[in-house]
Amino acid sequence: MSNTVTPPRRVSDSAPLPVSLKQPRLPRWAPAGLAAAAVAVGCGIGLAAGLESRIQWGLIAALLFILGTFATATAVEGARQAKDRLATSLVWICFLLAVVPLASLIWETVARGIKVLDGYFLSHSMGTLPDALPGGGIYHAIIGTLQQVGLAALIAAPVGLLTAIYLVEYGRGKLAKAVTFFVDVMTGIPSIVAGLFILSVWILILGFGPSGFAGAMALAILMMPVVVRSTEEMLKLVPNELREASLALGVPKWRTILKVVLPTSIGGITTGVMLAVARITGETAPVLLLVWGAKTINNNPFEGAQQSLPLYVFQQWQQGSDASYDRAWAAALVLIAFVMILNLVARGIARWKAPKTGR
């Protein structure tokens, strides 16, 4: 009798593989290849049909990409994976539809505004130069914009922050509901209405003249609900366990808010404030009603007419000459750069102040 023991056969050598592992998959380059093929065919159809609009070419290419991806995925990967590919294709098309106008806007502004944008343009005002002639700059508009937006932020940020703290930490009953309702109403208020309100109260009733401060008050009205909403959402994200732990140690509620809640959410709050500042920087209607604009430098925001970048762009475009058009595009480019810098600063602060996960 033999003592040789036959080793057991491994299950993996004899058992059939699961069906899902045998399912063929498209290569990773397939979506990019299908997109390139769809663009080529879409351009060919546009040329053959005599379509002049590139938008029509793009729509044809997008439709071919969606249909081609779905048909290819159905034939190779099956119906279930094809539906996933279809949804992914639609997401990509919607993303491109959102990005293309933005990229086109930036490209057009840079191409037209770079003609006169230099150190002289940034460091000089218009002075007595006629708007129809070349030359001049936007220094007075930059000074006015920084002062007006800064004053608006000084007014709106503390009020909005304290209002959000009340709604999240203390707000109960009818008063909190009323405050929430009015904040919702103010979120959608048109900028011209805010300008008319300050015009009627500050200038017509109280008798003050046009100034940068008047415009800043109108901008603060527009900024306040954005600060309240963003801060409210950030405070709600703070876990209640942190508040309860602090209160259980006998720390007063106001100190818990100051030392625990606000430091935890300071990154998101700062981002919301910066985005609100970026939102009001391009407002023209309140500035047109309350600040009036000036061609010379006015460093006093509490007295006299002042210039701002949005109003400068509007006034230069109204002149209708080639020189004023170039200055308008250059000022618009500076305004976009200013807003982009604010957004980058907000993202940097949010990353810097984000809670450390320890991973």
Side-chain angles (χ1 to χ4, degrees), residues 159-281:
V159 176
L161 180 62
L162 294 176
T163 303
I165 291 174
Y166 166 76
L167 290 176
V168 176
E169 304 295 339
Y170 298 97
R172 302 291 184 275
K174 295 181 179 178
L175 180 58
K177 292 181 179 177
V179 173
T180 303
F181 172 76
F182 283 112
V183 169
D184 291 338
V185 172
M186 288 180 64
T187 303
I189 190 172
S191 58
I192 189 68
V193 176
L196 285 173
F197 172 72
I198 298 298
L199 176 69
S200 60
V201 175
W202 185 255
I203 295 180
L204 299 181
I205 296 178
L206 299 180
F208 292 97
S211 63
F213 181 67
M217 288 191 291
L219 296 178
I221 293 176
L222 301 174
M223 181 180 172
M224 215 174 295
V226 181
V227 176
V228 173
R229 276 284 165 257
S230 59
T231 304
E232 193 178 354
E233 295 303 322
M234 291 300 106
L235 294 178
K236 288 179 180 177
L237 293 177
V238 178
N240 280 328
E241 288 78 4
L242 294 178
R243 298 181 177 87
E244 293 170 356
S246 178
L247 295 174
L249 294 174
V251 179
K253 187 168 185 177
W254 68 269
R255 197 172 182 84
T256 299
I257 296 171
L258 192 62
K259 296 293 184 180
V260 176
V261 177
L262 288 180
T264 305
S265 57
I266 190 63
I269 293 174
T270 307
T271 302
V273 173
M274 299 296 281
L275 293 178
V277 170
R279 190 261 185 187
I280 64 170
T281 301

Side-chain angles (χ1 to χ4, degrees), residues 30-210:
L34 289 171
V39 170
V41 175
C43 294
I45 293 176
L47 288 173
L51 301 176
E52 297 181 356
S53 174
R54 299 298 186 270
I55 297 177
Q56 293 175 327
W57 294 18
L59 292 176
I60 294 173
L63 183 61
L64 291 175
F65 172 67
I66 294 173
L67 296 177
T69 301
F70 182 73
T72 307
T74 302
V76 177
E77 299 177 330
R80 182 179 179 181
Q81 190 64 23
K83 293 178 182 177
D84 183 69
R85 297 274 187 186
L86 176 63
T88 305
S89 302
L90 290 174
V91 169
W92 274 102
I93 294 299
C94 293
F95 166 73
L96 291 176
L97 289 176
V99 167
V100 166
L102 177 61
S104 176
L105 170 67
I106 294 176
W107 175 266
E108 189 75 13
T109 307
V110 171
R112 292 176 179 269
I114 203 68
K115 296 179 181 176
V116 297
L117 184 59
D118 53 17
Y120 182 88
F121 185 72
L122 295 174
S123 59
H124 288 74
S125 66
M126 290 299 295
T128 58
L129 181 74
D131 290 329
L133 298 179
I138 59 169
Y139 180 75
H140 58 311
I142 294 175
I143 293 295
T145 298
L146 292 177
Q147 291 181 345
Q148 293 157 26
V149 173
L151 288 172
L154 288 177
I155 298 171
V159 176
L161 180 62
L162 294 176
T163 303
I165 291 174
Y166 166 76
L167 290 176
V168 176
E169 304 295 339
Y170 298 97
R172 302 291 184 275
K174 295 181 179 178
L175 180 58
K177 292 181 179 177
V179 173
T180 303
F181 172 76
F182 283 112
V183 169
D184 291 338
V185 172
M186 288 180 64
T187 303
I189 190 172
S191 58
I192 189 68
V193 176
L196 285 173
F197 172 72
I198 298 298
L199 176 69
S200 60
V201 175
W202 185 255
I203 295 180
L204 299 181
I205 296 178
L206 299 180
F208 292 97

